[in-house]
């Protein structure tokens, strides 16, 4: 048993931070507190259609975490029917051909980010979450009882045995770990991606586009932008967007207006969506991701989720990677019995999660180039595209998340050495029960 309760501070109450907190609060030897910078959640982003690896990761953290997703998400079809994101060529001689089915799963669902956060938040005692706490500085007290001291923008402070930073793409935790001048610290937009996006009621969307695209998640490809839709809020709203590679900013730094005339040689269904998006692009943003960090953890501080490996949204696996992070950290901290073992746990997390999560960042970049017909002529060969997307879907979606947790635990026990004796009476460390998917 732990000698005393271990105090864990999570900075960032997004998907990664809340999912991890929902697991840690169940552990009697852990005190966890989430510090979220915004005073209240806003419904931003394109929405999520989580892949199977994300659902498995949530199940590993706890069946209630998985259930929170299912309670808040809306079905894209019948519960017993396989559903997937359809990737379809919308330009050129192979127009209309389907080249991929991504994230295939029975009863596939979609959810808005705000709804999912609300579901996770309901699993965490209110006294364990503080809103309006923007992290301003980090200090490590390395004498006596080692502590990480957090100072927030409102002048308040908090102390913890460790800091787990899930504070997003502009992470102060990342800045602290890597240093402000490290080339991988700041977000990048190497290909100048601009995401033009609109949010409309499903009822209104059906006036402009094929009603089929209000109930599924298509990605329609072409050289001047790829187009997608995702149903939200129990199919009452639709998020639709056009992602443009190489967007040229105007003199004041803004992206130029979305011009439907540029898409006249796209399929008619793609053009319909573009025209609908162009009516109101107020939900738009410039995409960004992270170059690879050399490490995710040092001592008793780690970054995870978008703070560690923000990716472009094109492979649909960014949230899934954040949930894989949370699953590994949750499993490791189940075995951390004293504060002096935290460094071993975070090193194990780094060793196991960094290679895979950074590979997904690279995959998302390549997906974007392929979607834009800018990757080695691949758009001219639909069969080659199908092979590529099939291989990448297997890497991201059909992944053994349980085995990843076990590998991390093995690294932790090797790092801790003799500390494995803590579990001698259990015939080794407790292992995971059967996984519900």
């Amino acid at each position: 048993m732990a000698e005393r309760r271990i105090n864990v501070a999570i900075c960032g109450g997004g998907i990664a931070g809340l999912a991890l907190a929902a697991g840690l609060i169940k552990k009697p030897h852990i005190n966890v507190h989430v510090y979220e910078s915004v005073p209240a959640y806003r419904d931003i982003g394109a929405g999520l259609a989580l892949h199977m690896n994300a659902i498995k990761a949530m199940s590993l953290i706890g069946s209630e975490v998985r259930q929170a997703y299912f309670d808040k998400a809306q079905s894209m079809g019948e519960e017993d029917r396989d559903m997937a994101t359809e990737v379809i060529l919308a330009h050129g001689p192979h127009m209309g051909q389907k080249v991929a089915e991504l994230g295939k799963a029975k009863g596939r669902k979609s959810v808005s980010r705000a709804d999912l956060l609300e579901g996770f938040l309901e699993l965490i005692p209110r006294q364990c979450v503080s809103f309006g706490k923007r992290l301003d500085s980090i200090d490590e007290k390395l004498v006596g009882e080692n502590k990480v001291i957090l100072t927030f923008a409102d002048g308040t402070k908090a102390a913890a045995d460790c800091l787990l930073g899930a504070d997003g793409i502009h992470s102060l935790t990342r800045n602290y770990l890597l240093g402000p001048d490290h080339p991988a610290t700041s977000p990048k937009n190497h290909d100048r991606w601009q995401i033009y996006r609109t949010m409309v009621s499903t009822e209104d969307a059906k006036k402009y586009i094929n009603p089929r695209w209000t109930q599924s998640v298509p990605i329609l490809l072409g050289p001047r932008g790829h187009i997608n839709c995702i149903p939200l809020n129990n199919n009452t709203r639709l998020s639709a967007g056009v992602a443009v590679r190489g967007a040229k900013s105007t003199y004041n730094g803004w992206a130029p207006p979305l011009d439907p005339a540029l898409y006249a040689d796209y399929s008619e269904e793609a053009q319909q969506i573009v025209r609908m998006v162009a009516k109101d692009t107020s939900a738009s943003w410039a995409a960004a991701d992270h170059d690879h960090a050399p490490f995710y953890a040092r001592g008793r501080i780690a970054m995870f989720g978008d703070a560690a490996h923000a990716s472009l949204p094109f492979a649909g696996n960014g949230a899934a990677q954040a949930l894989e992070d949370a699953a590994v950290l949750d499993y490791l901290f189940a075995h951390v019995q004293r504060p002096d073992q935290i460094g071993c746990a975070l090193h194990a997390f780094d060793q196991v999660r960094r290679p895979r999560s950074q590979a997904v960042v690279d995959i998302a970049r390549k997906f974007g180039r392929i979607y834009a017909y800018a990757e080695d002529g691949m758009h001219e060969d639909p069969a080659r595209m199908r092979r590529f997307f099939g291989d990448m879907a297997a890497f991201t979606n059909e992944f053994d998340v349980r085995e990843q947790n076990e590998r991390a635990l093995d690294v932790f026990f090797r790092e801790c050495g003799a500390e494995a004796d803590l579990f001698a009476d259990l015939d080794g460390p407790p292992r995971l029960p059967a996984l519900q998917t």
Side-chain angles (χ1 to χ4, degrees):
M1 294 297 294
E3 297 175 0
R4 68 170 177 82
R5 299 190 81 176
I6 297 167
N7 294 309
V8 176
I10 297 175
C11 276
I15 291 170
L18 291 186
L20 176 57
L24 294 183
I25 58 156
K26 297 181 290 184
K27 296 169 176 46
H29 64 292
I30 300 284
N31 284 328
V32 60
H33 199 99
V34 179
Y35 300 95
E36 166 55 40
S37 62
V38 301
Y41 292 128
R42 294 182 297 128
D43 197 355
I44 57 175
L48 306 165
L50 295 180
H51 292 192
M52 184 56 69
N53 59 316
I55 295 169
K56 290 178 178 178
M58 289 186 287
S59 296
L60 290 173
I61 299 168
S63 59
E64 73 284 358
V65 177
R66 172 183 174 274
Q67 192 59 46
Y69 167 65
F70 283 119
D71 287 346
K72 295 294 183 180
Q74 69 120 58
S75 294
M76 290 159 52
E78 292 83 1
E79 290 292 333
D80 60 350
R81 184 161 69 92
D82 281 334
M83 297 289 292
T85 297
E86 295 181 288
V87 182
I88 300 169
L89 300 179
H91 181 278
H94 304 291
M95 183 187 298
Q97 288 202 38
K98 181 165 60 178
V99 294
E101 292 184 332
L102 306 178
K104 195 171 208 177
K106 288 189 183 298
R108 186 98 184 275
K109 296 176 180 287
S110 64
V111 67
S112 75
R113 181 178 182 273
D115 284 348
L116 183 58
L117 293 178
E118 180 183 317
F120 286 171
L121 191 61
E122 290 169 357
L123 303 175
I124 304 167
R126 292 292 171 162
Q127 66 269 22
C128 295
V129 182
S130 296
F131 286 91
K133 294 294 181 182
R134 181 174 296 280
L135 187 60
D136 186 66
S137 67
I138 302 167
D139 186 36
E140 295 179 82
K141 180 183 175 187
L142 301 178
V143 295
E145 192 173 1
N146 293 355
K147 294 287 184 183
V148 180
I149 310 299
L150 312 176
T151 302
F152 301 99
D154 63 3
T156 60
K157 295 179 181 288
D161 293 311
C162 75
L163 165 63
L164 304 178
D167 44 344
I169 190 169
H170 300 284
S171 167
L172 190 138
T173 308
R174 184 184 185 92
N175 186 288
Y176 177 81
L177 286 172
L178 302 184
D181 298 325
H182 192 282
T185 295
S186 299
K188 305 296 191 299
N189 187 0
H190 293 297
D191 284 343
R192 302 198 316 277
W193 284 102
Q194 175 69 20
I195 314 295
Y196 296 93
R197 186 158 295 279
T198 193
M199 297 279 194
V200 297
S201 73
T202 302
E203 183 178 352
D204 284 344
K206 290 178 179 178
K207 300 174 184 176
Y208 301 109
I209 69 175
N210 186 333
R212 172 190 178 193
W213 302 134
T214 67
Q215 301 175 51
S216 61
V217 182
I219 304 177
L220 310 178
L221 310 188
R224 288 178 295 284
H226 65 267
I227 297 125
N228 83 306
C229 298
I230 184 165
L232 302 173
N233 304 115
N234 293 315
N235 209 24
T236 60
R237 290 199 307 152
L238 185 74
S239 171
V242 182
V244 178
R245 180 176 181 265
K248 293 180 172 60
S249 299
T250 59
Y251 70 93
N252 60 3
W254 294 95
L258 179 63
D259 183 1
L262 297 175
Y263 300 85
D265 54 353
Y266 277 50
S267 68
E268 178 56 32
E269 290 192 345
Q271 291 184 61
Q272 290 171 356
I273 299 172
V274 173
R275 288 194 291 267
M276 182 181 71
V277 173
K279 291 176 182 295
D280 175 18
T281 58
S282 57
S284 302
W285 75 95
D289 65 6
H290 280 141
D291 289 338
H292 297 337
F295 55 87
Y296 288 174
R298 185 183 66 226
R300 296 188 181 188
I301 300 176
M303 55 184 174
F304 68 113
D306 279 355
H309 46 76
S311 64
L312 297 171
F314 308 137
N317 218 252
Q321 292 305 304
L323 288 164
E324 286 189 26
D325 286 349
V328 169
L329 287 167
D330 177 70
Y331 194 44
L332 288 168
F333 272 85
H335 299 83
V336 172
Q337 298 297 301
R338 298 194 310 267
D340 60 8
Q341 297 172 330
I342 292 170
C344 295
L346 297 185
H347 176 74
F349 163 75
D350 173 67
Q351 291 297 297
V352 170
R353 283 295 301 143
R354 183 159 44 88
R356 172 168 164 79
S357 59
Q358 291 181 341
V360 171
V361 173
D362 292 339
I363 288 169
R365 288 178 175 180
K366 188 164 186 174
F367 270 38
R369 294 192 298 272
I370 293 171
Y371 290 172
Y373 288 15
E375 181 68 20
D376 190 26
M378 193 177 287
H379 62 284
E380 299 171 355
D381 188 347
R384 181 182 168 205
M385 295 181 80
R386 292 186 191 99
R387 289 193 298 271
F388 170 79
F389 285 125
D391 290 343
M392 294 303 99
F395 178 81
T396 56
N397 191 43
E398 300 165 21
F399 178 70
D400 192 340
V401 291
R402 173 199 295 277
E403 188 273 337
Q404 179 174 241
N405 277 13
E406 298 292 2
R407 278 191 290 119
L409 187 64
D410 288 342
V411 174
F412 170 70
F413 275 93
R414 286 200 305 271
E415 288 287 315
C416 287
E419 301 304 335
D421 294 339
L422 288 167
F423 296 97
D425 60 334
L426 299 177
D427 191 28
R431 299 289 170 167
L432 289 164
L435 180 63
Q436 181 185 16
T437 58

